[in-house]
Each structure stands twice: as C-alpha cells, then as structure tokens.
Amino acid sequence: MSMPDREAVELFLQEASERLQYLREYVSVLQEVEPRREDLERLYIAAHNLTGTSASYGYPRFSEVAAKLAHVFQYALNATLGDDLHGPLTEFLSDGISVLETDLLEISDTGEESVEDIVAFKERYRFAFPAEPAPLNYGQQRITDQAIEQHAQDAHEEESTGSYFDALPSDDEVADEILEFFQPEAEEHLQVVSDCLISLEGNNNPEEVNRLFRAIHTVKGSAAQVGLKRLGAIAHRVEDLIGRLRDGEIEPSAAVVDLCLASVDVLKKTLHRQWADESEMRAEVDSLLGRIAEFAPPEEEELEATQPVVEEVKAAANGSAAQAPAMTRKPGKPSAGAAAKSVRIALERLDRMMNTVGELVINRTRMVGRVAELEKLVDTLGFSKERLQGKVSEFQEKYEFNRISNSPRAPATWNPSTTPQRLTSAAAGDTSFWSDFSELEMDRYDDVNILSRSMSEISADVNEVLTQLEGFIGRVEGDIDEFTKLAHHLQDEFTAARMVPIGTLYSRLSRAVRDAATSAAKQVELDLAGSETELDNSIIQQISDPLVHLVRNSVAHGIENADARRAAGKSEAGKVSLRAYHRGNHIYIEVEDDGGGIDYDRVRQSAIERGLVSPETADRLTDRDFREMLFHPGFSTAPAKTELAGRGVGLDVVRANLNLLNGEIDIQSTRGHGTKFTLKVPLTLIISPALFVRCGGTSFALPLAVVEEIRRLRADEIEDVGGKLLTKVRDVVTEVIRLDSYLGLPPLEPINGYFRMVVANAGSRQIGLVVEEVIGKDEIVIKNLGEYLRRVKLFPGTTIAPDGSLILLIDLNRMVATEPSERRTLQATPTAARIFAPGSAAVARGTIPAEAIDRVEHERVVVVADDSISVRKFVGRMLEKNGYRVKLAADGLEAAELVAQHGCHLVITDLEMPRMTGYELMVQLRQSPTTRRIPVMVVTSRAGAKHRDRAIKEGAAAFLTKPVQEDQLLAAVEQLIGTEATRPVVPVA
C-alpha cells in the first residue's frame, strides 16, 4: 500500500472507530418506550456514514453490514419496532457492531477484511440478509425501437395523469459526504435567489435578473451532477420561469415574485429532505409546477427528451465496463484544485478549537499568577539579603575593625636574618612572630576574621543570584507577553472564523416583512443598513427568531393602515428600518418603524383586563413602566388573534433569548412617530473581559462591558429611602447594592471612612455595587455551572482563577430584577392572612368565642409539569381561577424538586418531557414514603391505549388527553382531591 493510500486508510479507520463507539454507546435508545427522534437520526447518520465511507474505500462487506444497521435505524424513524426488542433484533444490532469492530481491526492489521467472520454473521442472521434475485445483466443489451416507443408511451401516460410529480426523475443514491458539501453550496445559491427576488420587486434591474438566472442555473446543474435529479428537475422548471423573466416575456410582478419565493421554499425542503412523506411532497410540487406552467408552459419535447435518455442508457450499457474504473476514486488522492483554497470545518469542531483557545487563556492566567508568586519570593529574598548585609557590616565593625589593642607597644627593630625562622614558627602556631608588628602594620586572621570574610562572600553571592533571578523574571514576563499576544491573535483568528455578516439574516427578514405586509394588507418599505457587520455564528442563529418577531411586530402593531397614515399626513407606505453596527465588544441592532408608536392607553387597558395591575395602580405608572409591561409573558395589545398578533407570545420570548446571550433590549417610542427597539448582544460568548472584585474572602467577576467607573464612596453619602440605598454619582441618582448584605456575606467596614463602589449599567438604569476590593481586570473563559446548578440564575457561569479556585460571574441584570430573599414580599396563606385581618385582636384576646370563627379551608396545592410553557400557563390559570394554588415545573425533574421541597396535594404531568419523563416522575414519587400517596393526573397528547396502560401501571390516578376542556379538568381534579384538602400528605409550603 502506498503512503498516500495508507494515510487515507488511517483517516478511515479513525473515523469508523469513532462512529462504531458512538453506535455501541447509544444503540440502547431503541429499547426506550418513546425514543427521541433526534437520537434515532444520529444513529442512522452514523451507520449511513459508515456505509458510504467504507464502500468508497473499497470494503464492501463492511459496507453491507453497516447498511443493514442503518436500515434498522431508518425503519425506527418512520415506524414502530414493537414491544419485544430483546430477541433476535437486539442481538443482531449488538453482534453487527461487534463484527464491524472485528473487521476494522483486521483492516488495520492486514489491510484486508475478515471474510469468515462476516460470512458467519450473515449465516446466523439470515432474516436480515434475504436471498436476492439474480440481477438482470445481459451484457451488451440492445435498445430497440420498441423500447423507445414504450418509453415515449410511458412518458405520455405520466403526463395524462395530470401529475407533474410523477414525471419527475427519481434521485440516485447520494452519499452523505457529497451532501455535506453540496447542501451548503446550494443554500448559498438559493440565498442569492431570495436576495435577488426581494430586490427585483421594487426595481427591475437586468443585472439582478442575470444574477438570479445564474444562481438557479447553478443549482439545477449541480443537483443533477450529484444525483439529486428530482431537485434538478424542479430547479429546471424554475429556471424556465426566470428565463422568461430575463427575456422580458413576463414582468417581475408580485405574483411572479411570490411564485419564485415559493419555489425557493420547495427547493429547500427538497434539498434537506424535510417533507413529512411523499404525499405531502407530491401535493406541494404538483401545485408549484402547475403555477409555474401558467407563466412558463412546458414545451412539447417529450420525444426529444426521450432520445437523450435512450442514448444515455445505450452509453451505460455499452460502456459500463469502461466507466466502472473511472468512477472509482482511490482514497488519499484528493483533487488539488479545491483543497488548496479552502476546507470545510464542522461548527462543533470549531467550537472545540475555540474552547481550547479558552483553556490557553486560562493557562496564561495561571502562568501570570505563578510569576507573581515568584516575584513575591524575589522580594522576600531581597529583604533577607538586606538583613544579611546589615548583619555582616555590623559584625565586621564590631569584631574585625575594632581589634586594635589599646595597650602601647615598644617599637621593634627589624632583623632580616630571623624572618624564615619566624614564618616557620607562625605556620606552626607560634604567635611570637606577631609581636614584632603592630595591628596596624599587619592584619590578624583568626576564626572571627575568616567567618566575617565568608559571610561577606555569601552576601555577594546572594546578591548576584538575586540580580540574575530578577533578570530571569523579566525575560519570563517578556515571554508571557509574547504568549499573551499569540493567544489573543489565535483567539481573534478563531473568532473571525466563526464570524458571519449579519446580512445573511437580512434576506429572511426581508421575506418576513414582505409576508407580514401582505397578510396585514399594508404597504411597507424595508431599509437595511450595516449588512457587513459581523458577529458570532451561534449568536446569529439565536437572534434570528427575535429579529423576525420584531420586524413582524413592527408591521402588525407599529405601521398603521393606509387610511390612518393619510389622515396623519404620512405616506401610504410605511417604513421599517433595520440597522446593525459595532461598538466596543458588542453589536447593536436597531429595528425602527415610522408608525403610530406605542399606544399607552391600550397597554394600560390590556394590563387591567389581564389582572396585572389594578386601575388605581395603573394610573400611577409611568410610560417606562408600561414599556416594561410589554415584556410580561402572554401580554398582547391586539384586539383579536390573527396570524401576526394577539397570541401572547411576543416580547417576553425575545427578552428571554437575549438574556441567554447576556444581551439587552431597549424600547424607545414617540406617539405618532414610531417605535425603536435596540438589541445589544456580545460579539462572542466564549471569551469576554471581566472585572474581578472581592467581598470578604470570596472573589467575583463582573462583565467589564457594563462597568462605567470605579470610585470611593463615603458612608454618609448613602441614604436609605424606602428600604432602598441611594446615592448620587455625577448628579445621577444611583441605587446602591451592598454585595455583602445581598449575598449574606460578612458585613463590610469602610476603610478610612470610604467604601469601594463599582458603577455599572444594569438594564436601563445605573447601579452602584459596594465591594471590599477591586482586584483588576482580565479576559476570562466562561464555564457553565452544570445541570445541578441551572436554577441559580444570579450566576450565569464561572471562571477559573490562577490558583485553580472558581470565581463566580454575577449577572447584574438578574441582581437588579430580583430582590434578595429578606426583602422579597411573601405571599400569605389564608390562615396567616386571617391572623392579621381586622378583628384579629379580639380573637386573640378571647372576646370572640372560637365557635363563632369560620374554619379556614386549607389551600390545595397543585404541581403542573409540562415542557410547553403555553400549556403550563393555560392549565395553571384554570386552576388558579378556581381557588387552587399552582406551582409550575418545566419537566419531571423540576416537578420532583418542587414536591420534595414544598409538597403538594396533586401532580398534573405530561408524559414527554426533557430530563425526566412523566413515567419516570411517577416512579420516583412512588419510591418515597412521603410522596407515595400523592395522586398523579396525566394530561398528554398521546391518546393510545399503550400509553394509557403504561401510565395506569406506573400509578396514574387519572388520564386526560390534550386539548383538555376546563370543566373536564376541574371535575377530574375535584374527584381526586375534593373541594378541600384537609390533610395534605406532605407538608405544604
């Protein structure tokens, strides 16, 4: 095997090993009662990819077994496998994965397949490998005139049925690897088609028409080339229509543009295989091609179209042997053209690479922390060096330089003849030699002198080491600076790779505005600016739905009808403007209309009707309060439900999506002139700058983007007004939040009479956060807190400190929106309310006899668990209107937590929910003695006897089918827990 081939096979082995491991781990989902469709799709994709890649690399037996596994998963997607999955089918899947793993090892060792194992596997599971009829292969088969006539007759019969769909050719078998490359390319061209159609409606530009024709022509040709012949045939008819548009035979009227846009929708659904079944596809395609035929009738070319088909069949029959080698591509030898320019990378892999860059930033922070520790050690060493030098100097002055004897000595005469004898005597320890010299004439070196010299040399050595260490730290800091620059550059490159222009959304928004205007019978112009502004692809995907809702909202609620605009002196055509621009680390997106603005009177009336505020309270609310009320769940000012408005699913969803992105939304409105929504979203979510603060012994991080300034604050500058702490910052009244009291930390004391305060913008107001110390700023990698802490909304994430500890990130918007528990108003129970009601003092004194006091009925608490927020709200309001206290849960796990913490009298649950299903919830409730007696009512859209029997088996006391009627639900609830819950089975909080 050549080196390029071997390298390619290594890639195949690695990919196949990963997919087999995935199949091994997740094949058990087939044994679940209701396996999720997305899990089955992933299993099918993994097996199907193994089928295609192994066949392309020349391993047919591997491909055959993998194809059978893919068939099982595909069957499970579209049909029920049955209750008994523990027999031959389960063994077949397990053994099939095992034989593929064995075959893969054999390929890795010898390059050949394990034929014996696969043959034995097929022999054991004959039911999965039925004998196929012999292929009809007659070699060089001749195409007779009779066959030509028969083909033409069949084509004529297809047309006579009146179904355009039947006349379309069937698709070839297309490998997933080809689709992975073709689908993004086709999406880009279809996006160009949509953009050109939107621009053509207002301006018939020949350049746009030519661009439109080229794009649909490319889709047609590419689809036919890869084997998606049905898609190519539909695109061919759309090309005929656009060709007439290009030739001037028809005008780009609204009807033509509508037809072309509908064609794009059909092509996209066909491209991504999003049809529910073939009957739906038949109906849609027949309708579309019939409408196209009205503008561009098909030409009479059945027989002419038959001839190329016959020639193609002849060529296939005559040259099949010659074409077979040409269609076989050797692995490891990709074409040099396209690969040299670009390569496609899965977004998941890019996310993993970006996370790796984030870990790089964390390690860089740790390195900086280690260098800081080293610098502290250098400072300590320097201090010790100074002490050592001081002690050496003191020792020398005391013992070395003050040893001169005060006793006078007689001057000695020098005798050269005795010098050798004296030196020898001195070496032997005789001190009489020194008697000839005074201490000034010759130094004395005793043990004290030698110790002093040694200490001086040690001090010099320490000084030299310290100098070298300081130089080393300087060089390390320089290296860290370079490392930081490299990490930032790498981060910028990966961020840029994830960045896409927001203009990719503009086509969808244009279509949404156009459809909304058509539905509302209004004339609307759309002005788009800043299409080149780039932001993270994941953020683009998450803000697309909020933006679509906002532009539809502008058309439905903002733009007036033509008569109202004429009466107001405006043009009949309304205008919706969408602008995007970059500022700092955020992207700002503005959606503005020139309509009538927010009708605050209607907002006030709607709020009163929905019971959100009382009429007296509503009169005291400001315009800002009413704008904030628009974000209340289920709120709508529309007088009636339409396709565009009145359904109560609106700005609350927009804000919820933005909160997930750490974004903000602001509303500005002027009566009679229009409304502007401003969205603020970060450039990226993975790495962001933060300000570190400390309160007590705990450190926290604040998003640096919202921090305005850091200042000192005197204790007497804080005023307590109505339970809120206020101060003035640059003549602006600012609410002060003490982090110690908010989080229950040890109380802070002012340092020299001052607190440290971080001034930040939270939502649309300014706050001051009092902390003990501001540590500094740095870039952080935000990590998720995990599934178990998902309900701790105040801390959206955490980061890792240089010492390995965790630093929590504080969500200031959440901090301002929610009061701490000690300041939150508690809802009183009827018993608690009666204790403090008028006349309660007389009861307390005993003036009123106990027999005269009406007995207080216990509240009946119902937990409603459903993953649909609309169902939860609907059922909850029905129960609350009839005197029940309702607690809502988004899934079974949250419901179990509510029951365990607060107790209840009844649980109403759906069956299909994330994290914990209704079946699992009932099982968990039955396992605990304290919750075993709580009745459970199942409300689900699954009306089959199988689901009902399983629910009754798990302990359900009642079973209702959606949509449930109010009287039916209340009757079932009253039957289970009665009109009064006198003895709750668990303590109810």
Side-chain angles (χ1 to χ4, degrees):
M1 183 180 293
S2 63
M3 184 58 64
D5 291 346
R6 183 61 191 173
E7 292 178 354
V9 171
E10 290 293 340
L11 294 176
F12 162 71
L13 293 174
Q14 180 180 358
E15 178 185 2
S17 176
E18 293 175 355
R19 297 193 185 281
L20 284 175
Q21 182 179 357
Y22 179 83
L23 292 178
R24 173 70 70 188
E25 292 178 357
Y26 294 99
V27 71
S28 60
V29 301
L30 285 177
Q31 300 183 18
E32 296 179 1
V33 177
E34 290 290 337
R36 296 193 306 172
R37 182 174 182 84
E38 51 266 28
D39 293 337
L40 295 176
E41 288 177 348
R42 293 191 185 100
L43 289 171
Y44 169 69
I45 291 172
H48 191 68
N49 283 340
L50 284 174
T51 304
T53 53
S54 59
S56 63
Y57 279 87
Y59 303 115
R61 295 176 180 83
F62 189 103
S63 177
E64 182 183 10
V65 177
K68 294 298 180 180
L69 299 180
H71 168 73
V72 175
F73 300 135
Q74 187 179 24
Y75 185 92
L77 279 170
N78 301 297
T80 303
L81 292 178
D83 296 333
D84 185 12
L85 290 177
H86 302 282
L89 184 59
T90 302
E91 295 182 10
F92 169 76
L93 293 173
S94 178
D95 291 351
I97 296 173
S98 298
V99 77
L100 289 180
E101 291 172 341
T102 304
D103 194 34
L104 197 67
L105 291 175
E106 188 70 20
I107 294 172
S108 177
D109 293 338
T110 64
E112 301 293 337
E113 291 194 80
S114 178
V115 180
E116 295 180 358
D117 292 339
I118 295 180
V119 170
F121 173 77
K122 293 173 64 176
E123 183 67 22
R124 182 182 182 189
Y125 298 100
R126 290 184 180 180
F127 66 86
F129 299 91
E132 298 180 359
L136 298 176
N137 184 9
Y138 301 105
Q140 305 291 335
Q141 186 178 13
R142 296 175 56 189
I143 307 298
T144 63
D145 294 338
Q146 183 180 359
I148 298 175
E149 293 176 0
Q150 182 65 34
H151 183 85
Q153 183 179 355
D154 293 342
H156 179 72
E157 289 178 356
E158 287 177 353
E159 184 182 352
S160 65
T161 62
S163 174
Y164 294 98
F165 181 82
D166 292 335
L168 296 177
S170 300
D171 290 339
D172 296 338
E173 287 293 333
V174 183
D176 287 351
E177 291 77 10
I178 296 177
L179 287 178
E180 288 178 3
F181 287 93
F182 172 71
Q183 286 177 342
E185 178 191 1
E187 274 284 355
E188 293 175 3
H189 291 299
L190 291 176
Q191 188 68 39
V192 172
V193 172
S194 298
D195 294 341
C196 294
L197 289 171
I198 296 295
S199 62
L200 271 180
E201 193 172 17
N203 182 21
N204 189 0
N205 187 350
E207 285 296 328
E208 291 294 326
V209 176
N210 291 330
R211 183 164 168 246
L212 173 64
F213 185 83
R214 287 194 301 270
I216 196 65
H217 180 77
T218 303
V219 172
K220 179 198 74 171
S222 301
Q225 181 70 30
V226 301
L228 298 176
K229 296 182 179 179
R230 184 171 291 173
L231 177 68
I234 300 173
H236 179 64
R237 291 296 294 131
V238 180
E239 183 190 27
D240 292 341
L241 175 62
I242 297 175
R244 287 182 172 248
L245 192 67
R246 182 187 60 175
D247 298 338
E249 298 179 16
I250 56 177
E251 293 295 325
S253 61
V256 173
V257 173
D258 281 339
L259 180 56
C260 292
L261 289 173
S263 303
V264 172
D265 294 338
V266 170
L267 289 173
K268 285 185 177 181
K269 293 184 72 174
T270 306
L271 172 66
H272 296 288
R273 300 173 180 176
Q274 295 175 340
W275 302 103
D277 49 35
E278 188 168 328
S279 61
E280 180 189 2
M281 182 180 182
R282 178 190 297 273
E284 290 280 347
V285 172
D286 275 341
S287 174
L288 174 69
L289 296 182
R291 294 169 60 192
I292 291 178
E294 297 177 4
F295 291 94
E299 299 180 3
E300 296 295 333
E301 52 182 14
E302 286 82 5
L303 291 178
E304 290 80 354
T306 303
Q307 187 64 30
V309 175
V310 174
E311 295 297 332
E312 183 179 349
V313 174
K314 284 182 179 181
N318 294 329
S320 59
Q323 287 181 2
M327 293 298 292
T328 303
R329 180 177 299 175
K330 292 185 178 181
K333 295 182 180 179
S335 59
K341 294 182 180 179
S342 63
V343 60
R344 291 188 182 273
I345 301 178
L347 189 59
E348 292 80 5
R349 176 170 294 183
L350 202 58
D351 288 338
R352 291 197 298 269
M353 296 166 70
M354 193 66 176
N355 285 330
T356 304
V357 174
E359 298 297 333
L360 194 65
V361 173
I362 291 177
N363 289 331
R364 190 266 305 174
T365 305
R366 288 182 176 177
M367 291 172 60
V368 171
R370 298 292 182 265
V371 172
E373 294 175 2
L374 195 59
E375 289 177 341
K376 291 181 180 178
L377 293 177
V378 170
D379 293 339
T380 304
L381 185 59
F383 177 72
S384 300
K385 182 205 71 171
E386 296 295 336
R387 290 183 59 197
L388 179 61
Q389 287 181 341
K391 292 298 181 181
V392 169
S393 300
E394 180 182 350
F395 185 83
Q396 288 178 340
E397 292 176 358
K398 187 173 182 179
Y399 293 103
E400 183 176 357
F401 301 135
N402 294 330
R403 294 182 60 84
I404 301 175
S405 176
N406 294 326
S407 58
R409 292 177 180 269
T413 58
W414 175 254
N415 187 0
S417 62
T418 61
T419 299
Q421 180 182 358
R422 290 184 176 183
L423 290 175
T424 304
S425 300
D430 187 5
T431 58
S432 61
F433 170 78
W434 301 104
S435 59
D436 296 337
F437 300 95
S438 67
E439 292 183 352
L440 295 176
E441 292 176 326
M442 182 170 291
D443 294 333
R444 305 296 197 267
Y445 294 100
D446 53 9
D447 292 341
V448 174
N449 298 117
I450 296 173
L451 178 61
S452 175
R453 290 292 181 92
S454 298
M455 292 176 63
S456 299
E457 292 175 1
I458 291 172
S459 177
D461 292 341
V462 170
N463 192 25
E464 183 178 357
V465 171
L466 188 60
T467 303
Q468 293 178 0
L469 189 57
E470 291 174 346
F472 170 75
I473 291 177
R475 291 191 295 273
V476 171
E477 289 178 340
D479 293 340
I480 290 179
D481 290 340
E482 292 297 324
F483 180 80
T484 302
K485 292 177 183 178
L486 180 62
H488 286 172
H489 178 70
L490 194 60
Q491 170 193 338
D492 294 341
E493 290 295 328
F494 277 114
T495 303
R498 294 175 53 91
M499 293 292 183
V500 293
I502 197 174
T504 56
L505 277 180
Y506 280 4
S507 176
R508 181 183 176 189
L509 298 176
S510 302
R511 179 78 179 273
V513 170
R514 185 181 183 278
D515 293 343
T518 303
S519 177
K522 298 178 181 179
Q523 300 181 30
V524 180
E525 298 177 356
L526 180 63
D527 180 28
L528 302 173
S531 60
E532 70 284 351
T533 305
E534 293 185 337
L535 69 162
D536 197 301
N537 181 65
S538 61
I539 297 180
I540 282 276
Q541 295 175 0
Q542 294 185 59
I543 67 170
S544 60
D545 289 338
L547 284 177
V548 168
H549 178 83
L550 288 179
V551 296
R552 288 166 61 92
N553 189 73
S554 297
V555 175
H557 294 283
I559 302 297
E560 314 97 321
N561 56 40
D563 295 337
R565 292 184 66 85
R566 280 195 300 268
K570 301 179 182 179
S571 62
E572 293 187 6
K575 184 177 181 180
V576 176
S577 302
L578 194 146
R579 294 179 293 275
Y581 54 91
H582 175 258
R583 181 180 296 171
N585 290 323
H586 288 80
I587 295 293
Y588 289 81
I589 305 171
E590 297 178 353
V591 180
E592 185 176 7
D593 63 72
D594 65 345
I598 296 176
D599 189 346
Y600 293 108
D601 294 334
R602 182 179 297 179
V603 175
R604 179 186 292 104
Q605 184 63 31
S606 181
I608 295 174
E609 291 175 356
R610 295 174 185 272
L612 300 179
V613 294
S614 63
E616 296 77 13
T617 305
D619 293 336
R620 297 194 298 269
L621 297 180
T622 63
D623 291 347
R624 175 181 173 181
D625 296 327
F626 285 121
R627 288 197 298 269
E628 188 67 25
M629 199 167 291
L630 296 176
F631 295 102
H632 192 277
F635 189 87
S636 178
T637 58
K641 290 185 178 181
T642 65
E643 182 182 355
L644 297 178
R647 303 183 181 274
V649 180
L651 294 179
D652 61 314
V653 179
V654 175
R655 172 176 277 183
N657 287 352
L658 290 175
N659 287 339
L660 293 176
L661 300 174
N662 295 326
E664 303 173 10
I665 182 172
D666 179 61
I667 305 177
Q668 300 175 10
S669 181
T670 304
R671 188 66 180 269
H673 292 83
T675 305
K676 180 169 70 174
F677 294 87
T678 303
L679 279 64
K680 177 184 177 184
V681 295
L683 279 172
T684 182
L685 297 176
I686 298 178
I687 299 178
S688 60
L691 180 72
F692 295 103
V693 298
R694 184 176 61 82
C695 191
T698 309
S699 297
F700 300 94
L702 305 175
L704 191 61
V706 301
V707 175
E708 292 292 328
E709 61 177 305
I710 302 168
R711 60 184 299 152
R712 296 193 305 170
L713 182 70
R714 290 198 310 271
D716 56 4
E717 293 179 342
I718 303 176
E719 298 181 9
D720 190 340
V721 180
K724 285 189 175 182
L725 301 179
L726 301 177
T727 189
K728 275 193 174 183
V729 178
R730 305 186 189 280
D731 297 330
V732 176
V733 177
T734 303
E735 180 181 356
V736 177
I737 298 178
R738 292 192 51 155
L739 192 59
D740 54 343
S741 59
Y742 190 94
L743 298 179
L745 300 174
L748 299 179
E749 296 294 336
I751 301 176
N752 297 327
Y754 286 91
F755 289 108
R756 290 181 174 84
M757 184 175 71
V758 178
V759 181
N761 289 323
S764 57
R765 55 178 172 169
Q766 182 173 279
I767 65 169
L769 191 65
V770 175
V771 298
E772 183 175 353
E773 180 186 2
V774 177
I775 301 175
K777 65 176 183 177
D778 200 355
E779 288 189 335
I780 64 172
V781 179
I782 302 175
K783 299 289 186 180
N784 200 321
L785 287 177
E787 188 65 24
Y788 292 103
L789 297 177
R790 63 181 181 83
R791 299 182 66 182
V792 185
K793 303 297 185 182
L794 181 62
F795 305 112
T798 183
T799 188
I800 301 175
D803 59 357
S805 62
L806 297 181
I807 298 178
L808 293 172
L809 180 68
I810 297 178
D811 186 351
L812 294 178
N813 293 320
R814 182 78 60 175
M815 177 179 286
V816 173
T818 58
E819 293 182 312
S821 57
E822 62 269 15
R823 290 167 52 187
R824 188 178 302 126
T825 302
L826 297 179
Q827 183 178 3
T829 62
T831 302
R834 169 164 289 200
I835 292 175
F836 299 99
S840 59
V843 177
R845 289 194 302 266
T847 307
I848 301 177
E851 293 78 9
I853 304 172
D854 293 333
R855 187 168 56 91
V856 177
E857 295 184 353
H858 291 285
E859 278 189 309
R860 295 158 295 172
V861 180
V862 180
V863 172
V864 179
D866 199 300
D867 57 338
S868 170
I869 185 173
S870 58
V871 173
R872 292 201 304 270
K873 295 280 187 183
F874 178 72
V875 175
R877 286 172 183 170
M878 283 196 303
L879 295 172
E880 286 174 345
K881 283 194 307 180
N882 289 272
Y884 296 95
R885 187 150 61 99
V886 180
K887 294 182 181 294
L888 303 179
D891 51 41
L893 182 60
E894 189 172 345
E897 293 175 356
L898 287 175
V899 174
Q901 294 173 4
H902 306 288
C904 69
H905 301 95
L906 173 67
V907 175
I908 299 178
T909 179
D910 190 11
L911 290 181
E912 300 167 295
M913 295 180 292
R915 300 199 305 162
M916 181 183 287
T917 66
Y919 294 126
E920 295 168 334
L921 173 61
M922 287 186 282
V923 171
Q924 180 164 335
L925 293 178
R926 296 297 165 262
Q927 290 176 349
S928 174
T930 59
T931 60
R932 185 176 301 159
R933 296 175 55 195
I934 299 178
V936 178
M937 177 191 297
V938 174
V939 179
T940 178
S941 58
R942 298 290 185 180
K946 178 180 177 181
H947 297 84
R948 179 187 297 270
D949 295 342
R950 174 70 184 275
I952 300 300
K953 178 182 177 182
E954 298 296 347
F959 191 97
L960 301 180
T961 305
K962 298 176 184 177
V964 63
Q965 301 299 322
E966 183 173 357
D967 54 353
Q968 179 189 15
L969 176 69
L970 294 176
V973 172
E974 292 294 341
Q975 184 179 0
L976 291 176
I977 62 175
T979 57
E980 177 188 353
T982 56
R983 291 194 319 166
V985 292
V986 291
V988 177

